[in-house]
Amino acid sequence: MIKKYNFGTVFPTEAVVLDLDLCSDPMPYFSKKGEHLDLTYILERETIVYGLGESNRGINKRGYLYESFCSDTSTHTPDIFSMYGAHNFLLIHGRDTFGVFIDCPEKVCFDIGYSDYETLRITSDAVDYTIYVIDGTNLKSIVKSFRTLIGESYIPPKWALGYQQSRWGYSKESDFYEIADQYEKLDIPIESIYMDIDYMEAYKDFTVNHTNFPNFKNMVSNLRSRGIRLVPIIDAGVKIEKGYSVYEEGVKKGYFCESESGKPFVAAVWPGRVHFPDFINPDARAWFGEKYRILTDCGIDGFWNDMNEPAIFYSEEGLEETFAYLDSIRDTNIGIKESFGMREAIDNLSNNPKDYERFYHKFNGDRIVHRKLHNLYGYMMTRAASEGLSTIQQEKRFLLFSRASYIGMHRYGGIWTGDNSSWWEHLLLNIKMMPSLNMCGFLYSGADLGGFGCDTTYDLMIRWLQFGLFTPLMRNHSAISTREQELYQFPSTIYFSKLLKYRYRLLPYLYSEFVKAAKRQEMLFLPIAFEYESDSLTKSIEDQLLVGECLMTAPVYTQNAGGRYVYLPESMLMVKYNSQFERTCKILEKGHHYIELGLEEFVFFIRKNKFLFLAPEANNTDSLDCSQFEIIGYSNQTDFLSYEYYDDDGLSTKIDLSNLIKISLKKQTSGWALTDSTVPIKITKIEIFEASF
Ligand code: GLC
């Protein structure tokens, strides 16, 4: 049951897809004050507050402040309030259990028991917004209703679940061939290589530097013939440069955001001074979306949209103010106040809230200041790309993900979680963020594995990949001038080869679960408390996650840990791999367990009366056989196990769950076997562990 309340004159964010009637009853649960968004809900001591998608801290958001304001927060320490995405969905679980979605494209603040531990307060300067209150019988059903409200999640091509290599700094053809050669030589799987800003000519969108890439189209097809795809970045800002067609067309057609004076607004990002396309304007979106054709014509079929909060290094106005301040103190005895003042003036040049007041969007004849629509910008850029790509080739799925996002964008693309650091804390943050993202519809997601900023370490890379084995986006990405972290950069690579081959063994399961979750409005990563709601011990467990219907992951995320504690809410089959990739399986009873896990060892669990199917090893999806499996499972007092398997060509946009393949196993006197020999898959081995207690 969903109740909808409108306040003020709402902007059509298109975050939701259901057309609901407005509710005339008073809003349940919250008390509301004044015209501006200001909602209060009294929390009990034990109330848990889930949600907020891409945000800092834990799965339970209780006890801190969060701001929904898409921000280029490249160093996200625990004290920051905003991140790249703005996902205003909360799921409250206590005396009452309900969801709330604040559809408001301006900044929204969530004080979740920070100022007063017993009070949840949601505030904003906004006067125009919609509130949806969602009831349901349990946590999973509320999420499902919310996800139905906001529409089906983006489904990437199957190849997007392969292992992807990226780094800021690859700048010429030989860099890409070198990566491909090294991976091939060491027999480490690889599916794609990312092209960061250095492939462009002077950081101009939809250009390729012809000096460094003299045979771009050939390079794309050469690498493709080796099973590797290239995925270029597209930034939001368009360089101001005479003769550059994207700039000139944009100016001529009036497709850029305007400053107060009506001239295109000038800000700076990588290329120096740029204009921002007005993605709120549908015509500008269609124009920009069509530009992706320049690269798809060269054989490209995946993109990542970046800097679309939009990130601003400086504006003309900001520069003026900063230089004026520096001039004003130049001839003084620069003391403590001025020293701090100088630093602050420089810091405030970038992503300054004042700049978001300085430009305007055009929509249906109205001129709207950017601040009021800020959180829609990255969403609408990705929508432009998605709609453009579907015009280019309607029946084909493209890989597409973004840095900034808002709920609604999940229908058009995925997100990566931005510039993390090579810190163990960010591995844990990645683990905790996955279910929150899934609640908000972002299923295709993942972090920069190994960490983007700072220097990674061998052990962090291993532990992060062990978790990344399960995330749909499995991409190793790092910043220029940090330690190189392509997997061949480490002295020992044999383990990486084995680990990534294992990703491909898991891929048919992950893909099947991903597509089912998208189509059925479910989560791929689930906090265990969502599945075992009556077990109060699960409520505070945030470092073990269910992955789809059959598995639970329990990654190691601390340096030098020789293992970890795991809580099992029911008996499960422990599946542990050692450094040689030898497998040990053991049924463990409900309760607490300590699992020893040396650096090159990892564990996951198969749930009671479920099984996992593993494909043969592969080095990319081109060579992956999704119709031949080895089965490992856990039966507890049943002689029948079953799974509904989804598979397709991985590319076509026609996705139909009515063609699920039912894999059913029955225990017979001779052992476990498929019940139906007409099932179009081959089972090479079945290993079912049976509980004896
Ligand atoms: C931003 C992106 C990062 C990229 C860099 C250079 O910081 O978040 O992924 O490598 O820009 O394009």
Side-chain angles (χ1 to χ4, degrees):
M1 162 77 154
I2 305 177
K3 291 186 164 170
K4 174 179 176 184
Y5 302 87
N6 266 357
F7 299 90
T9 314
V10 296
F11 183 85
T13 63
E14 297 183 58
V16 309
V17 294
L18 297 185
D19 188 14
L20 303 179
D21 289 335
L22 289 174
C23 198
S24 49
D25 311 345
M27 194 187 312
Y29 309 117
F30 291 102
S31 57
K32 183 176 178 311
K33 258 200 333 223
E35 195 194 0
H36 295 274
L37 175 64
D38 190 346
L39 301 178
T40 302
Y41 175 76
I42 302 302
L43 302 164
E44 287 177 314
R45 188 123 289 243
E46 304 302 326
T47 304
I48 297 177
V49 182
Y50 296 106
L52 292 185
E54 185 184 7
S55 56
N56 220 344
R57 303 210 170 205
I59 297 181
N60 182 356
K61 298 291 171 197
R62 185 83 185 258
Y64 205 58
L65 283 174
Y66 304 86
E67 287 177 0
S68 271
F69 190 74
C70 295
S71 301
D72 174 17
T73 31
S74 51
T75 315
H76 32 276
T77 43
D79 57 337
I80 61 147
F81 304 135
S82 308
M83 293 179 90
Y84 303 94
H87 307 147
N88 302 339
F89 171 68
L90 291 182
L91 176 49
I92 289 129
H93 186 41
R95 166 187 68 239
D96 311 301
T97 297
F98 64 97
V100 59
F101 172 47
I102 316 286
D103 188 6
C104 171
E106 291 186 51
K107 180 178 185 168
V108 179
C109 303
F110 298 85
D111 181 336
I112 309 183
Y114 169 77
S115 302
D116 167 8
Y117 196 73
E118 315 292 322
T119 306
L120 162 68
R121 194 153 169 230
I122 307 173
T123 54
S124 170
D125 289 341
V127 290
D128 306 317
Y129 49 90
T130 305
I131 298 176
Y132 297 87
V133 180
I134 305 144
D135 281 312
T137 47
N138 57 35
L139 295 166
K140 285 208 291 186
S141 73
I142 295 170
V143 171
K144 198 172 171 112
S145 298
F146 174 57
R147 294 271 304 283
T148 309
L149 174 70
I150 61 175
E152 226 171 72
S153 299
Y154 160 78
I155 299 177
K158 194 192 277 182
W159 65 263
L161 272 71
Y163 173 75
Q164 319 200 48
Q165 181 60 57
S166 184
R167 180 172 171 85
W168 174 8
Y170 303 153
S171 56
K172 50 186 182 316
E173 272 195 15
S174 57
D175 292 342
F176 292 85
Y177 285 121
E178 158 85 5
I179 297 160
D181 292 348
Q182 291 279 9
Y183 272 86
E184 269 172 23
K185 192 174 91 199
L186 296 163
D187 192 28
I188 308 176
I190 184 163
E191 191 80 37
S192 68
I193 309 175
Y194 279 63
M195 308 191 81
D196 207 318
I197 46 173
D198 307 282
Y199 79 89
M200 300 180 205
E201 192 194 295
Y203 309 123
K204 286 182 285 186
D205 278 340
F206 310 113
T207 66
V208 174
N209 180 320
H210 289 294
T211 314
N212 293 346
F213 297 91
N215 300 306
F216 182 62
K217 216 170 165 175
N218 275 354
M219 178 176 91
V220 177
S221 74
N222 280 343
L223 287 170
R224 184 67 202 89
S225 67
R226 292 163 67 173
I228 298 172
R229 289 177 154 91
L230 294 174
V231 183
I233 196 168
I234 303 292
D235 280 336
V238 170
K239 185 170 197 261
I240 301 175
E241 187 183 279
K242 248 188 152 25
Y244 167 40
S245 64
V246 184
Y247 158 74
E248 294 204 331
E249 277 172 36
V251 171
K252 197 158 137 219
K253 294 177 194 264
Y255 286 161
F256 291 127
C257 295
E258 289 178 353
S259 57
E260 179 80 62
S261 69
K263 292 216 180 87
F265 175 69
V266 180
V269 203
W270 305 119
R273 289 174 170 84
V274 299
H275 292 322
F276 290 132
D278 185 357
F279 294 120
I280 304 297
N281 171 356
D283 296 335
R285 274 207 302 272
W287 163 74
F288 195 85
E290 176 61 24
K291 297 283 170 225
Y292 287 75
R293 189 188 292 274
I294 296 171
L295 291 157
T296 59
D297 278 352
C298 298
I300 295 293
D301 39 23
F303 297 90
W304 48 314
N305 284 345
D306 193 20
M307 306 300 271
N308 49 6
E309 294 71 31
I312 297 180
F313 293 173
Y314 60 83
S315 65
E316 295 295 0
E317 296 85 342
L319 267 189
E320 291 284 321
E321 287 165 10
T322 305
F323 284 126
Y325 171 72
L326 295 177
D327 276 343
S328 74
I329 59 166
R330 185 196 288 269
D331 299 325
T332 65
N333 171 29
I334 296 178
I336 184 166
K337 188 163 146 253
E338 294 78 14
S339 288
F340 282 117
M342 279 197 293
R343 213 171 304 163
E344 206 181 295
I346 301 289
D347 278 353
N348 284 344
L349 268 178
S350 53
N351 307 318
N352 189 324
K354 278 205 287 195
D355 285 333
Y356 297 119
E357 299 273 3
R358 287 176 169 141
F359 61 99
Y360 295 81
H361 298 279
K362 280 187 277 199
F363 186 77
N364 277 351
D366 290 335
R367 199 172 190 237
I368 308 172
V369 66
H370 173 79
R371 175 188 46 82
K372 286 183 72 82
L373 302 179
H374 176 76
N375 289 334
L376 300 181
Y377 194 75
Y379 162 18
M380 292 299 162
M381 176 186 182
T382 302
R383 178 174 174 184
S386 164
E387 289 174 346
L389 291 168
S390 57
T391 331
I392 293 164
Q393 214 172 333
Q394 210 194 348
E395 39 328 300
K396 174 173 155 170
R397 271 179 263 163
F398 287 88
L399 167 61
L400 179 62
F401 61 92
S402 171
R403 195 171 73 172
S405 60
Y406 184 79
I407 288 171
M409 202 206 85
H410 68 286
R411 301 193 299 271
Y412 298 99
I415 54 174
W416 95 102
T417 57
D419 296 350
N420 59 8
S421 297
S422 297
W423 299 337
W424 292 87
E425 291 78 359
H426 277 182
L427 164 53
L428 182 58
L429 185 64
N430 179 198
I431 297 166
K432 293 183 178 188
M433 211 186 273
M434 293 310 291
S436 310
L437 290 171
N438 281 196
M439 282 174 219
C440 299
F442 292 94
L443 297 185
Y444 187 72
S445 190
D448 288 349
L449 302 175
F452 175 75
C454 310
D455 292 335
T456 202
T457 56
Y458 176 66
D459 52 356
L460 180 60
M461 194 74 237
I462 287 185
R463 292 302 194 193
W464 216 323
L465 285 175
Q466 288 172 346
F467 175 63
L469 270 185
F470 300 95
T471 62
L473 168 61
M474 188 189 195
R475 183 179 76 144
N476 171 352
H477 179 52
S478 57
I480 197 162
S481 11
T482 58
R483 179 180 186 181
E484 292 174 315
Q485 62 187 49
E486 294 79 14
L487 299 180
Y488 54 83
Q489 306 285 3
F490 299 93
S492 160
T493 56
I494 296 167
Y495 184 69
F496 291 127
S497 164
K498 291 189 171 136
L499 197 64
L500 294 194
K501 284 175 192 283
Y502 198 74
R503 163 67 168 209
Y504 286 88
R505 301 203 69 193
L506 283 171
L507 204 146
Y509 170 75
L510 293 175
Y511 184 69
S512 168
E513 287 299 300
F514 184 103
V515 175
K516 287 196 292 180
K519 287 286 187 195
R520 294 174 174 167
Q521 335 286 3
E522 286 167 359
M523 294 160 70
L524 178 66
F525 283 94
L526 208 65
I528 55 171
F530 278 44
E531 189 65 29
Y532 303 93
E533 255 191 63
S534 58
D535 179 344
S536 62
L537 285 183
T538 60
K539 288 194 170 140
S540 56
I541 295 178
E542 300 205 343
D543 60 355
Q544 299 172 208
L545 298 172
L546 299 175
V547 187
E549 175 189 322
C550 307
L551 301 186
M552 183 180 80
T553 155
V556 173
Y557 50 86
T558 40
Q559 191 158 29
N560 301 320
R564 59 160 290 168
Y565 285 96
V566 173
Y567 174 68
L568 301 186
E570 64 178 344
S571 71
M572 292 191 188
L573 181 70
M574 178 192 80
V575 182
K576 179 174 157 181
Y577 284 89
N578 70 10
S579 56
Q580 303 308 307
F581 257 79
E582 290 152 351
R583 185 166 71 214
T584 317
C585 295
K586 191 174 170 199
I587 296 168
L588 297 183
E589 287 183 64
K590 171 181 160 82
H592 295 279
H593 301 269
Y594 183 78
I595 320 278
E596 284 185 12
L597 294 163
L599 179 58
E600 287 162 342
E601 297 183 326
F602 74 99
V603 72
F604 62 83
F605 296 83
I606 297 179
R607 292 177 58 194
K608 185 155 124 186
N609 296 331
K610 304 282 176 197
F611 60 83
L612 172 66
F613 45 97
L614 293 166
E617 284 185 352
N619 279 11
N620 54 38
T621 48
D622 282 348
S623 57
L624 179 68
D625 181 354
C626 292
S627 65
Q628 200 189 131
F629 301 124
E630 174 192 341
I631 285 178
I632 322 167
Y634 170 32
S635 130
N636 186 309
Q637 286 159 24
T638 175
D639 56 7
F640 181 77
L641 299 172
S642 180
Y643 177 81
E644 289 186 326
Y645 172 50
Y646 176 79
D647 191 29
D648 59 21
D649 66 2
L651 282 179
S652 144
T653 45
K654 286 196 191 66
I655 297 176
D656 180 4
L657 283 200
S658 63
N659 294 328
L660 294 174
I661 300 173
K662 200 160 190 149
I663 308 177
S664 299
L665 307 176
K666 183 134 183 63
K667 188 178 175 185
Q668 307 183 337
T669 37
S670 55
W672 287 82
L674 271 182
T675 54
D676 181 356
S677 56
T678 62
V679 172
I681 50 167
K682 193 170 157 214
I683 302 296
T684 50
K685 188 174 167 193
I686 302 182
E687 211 177 345
I688 302 295
F689 292 80
E690 295 177 47
S692 54
F693 44 82

